[in-house]
Amino acid sequence: QVQLVESGGGLVQPGGTLKLSCTASGLIFNFYTMGWYRQAPGKQRELVARVTTDNITNYADSVKGRFTGSRDNAKNTVYLQMNSLKPEDTAVYYCNAELPLGRRNYWGQGTQVTVSS
């Protein structure tokens, strides 16, 4: 069974740093583009960062320059380094694994990130 497990969320002050991890099992990790999405209360889920199998990344404009996505294929793990956190970053962050053309798409259960003083 496919499983994506996020970790690393928590409470941090504005300007602080968190690093999220997502470890996948039950799939051939190297075949998948990995993504980080987030959803705040009352808002739609949005793409935060995407990391290809070759560690090519793209980011939402709101996090560009502050967040960095990466992956370690040997560990079946994708990361999201979050620096200079803002209250607007508060959301549940979800890990996603996707094959080309959407032939496979899997989600983790999410990890809460709260940025508050």
Side-chain angles (χ1 to χ4, degrees):
Q1 295 180 349
V2 173
Q3 188 174 23
L4 305 179
V5 180
E6 301 98 335
S7 63
L11 175 64
V12 66
Q13 293 184 349
T17 296
L18 285 174
K19 187 175 183 178
L20 306 183
S21 299
C22 171
T23 299
S25 60
L27 52 74
I28 304 175
F29 187 77
N30 295 354
F31 287 4
Y32 286 80
T33 290
M34 303 299 297
W36 288 99
Y37 293 73
R38 68 186 182 188
Q39 188 166 28
K43 299 181 180 179
Q44 292 187 321
R45 187 174 298 186
E46 64 174 344
L47 175 67
V48 177
R50 180 170 284 140
V51 189
T52 72
T53 55
D54 296 320
N55 245 313
I56 305 301
T57 57
N58 65 279
Y59 302 94
D61 288 341
S62 59
V63 308
K64 193 172 298 181
R66 299 188 297 119
F67 291 10
T68 303
S70 62
R71 66 193 290 161
D72 186 340
N73 289 336
K75 297 181 178 179
N76 283 15
T77 299
V78 62
Y79 305 95
L80 185 67
Q81 178 69 47
M82 303 187 294
N83 301 326
S84 302
L85 282 161
K86 304 175 180 179
E88 306 94 276
D89 297 318
T90 296
V92 177
Y93 284 70
Y94 296 92
C95 180
N96 176 75
E98 184 182 52
L99 284 179
L101 301 176
R103 298 180 73 248
R104 294 289 188 277
N105 194 291
Y106 303 103
W107 294 90
Q109 67 178 12
T111 185
Q112 177 71 48
V113 172
T114 302
V115 185
S116 176
S117 60

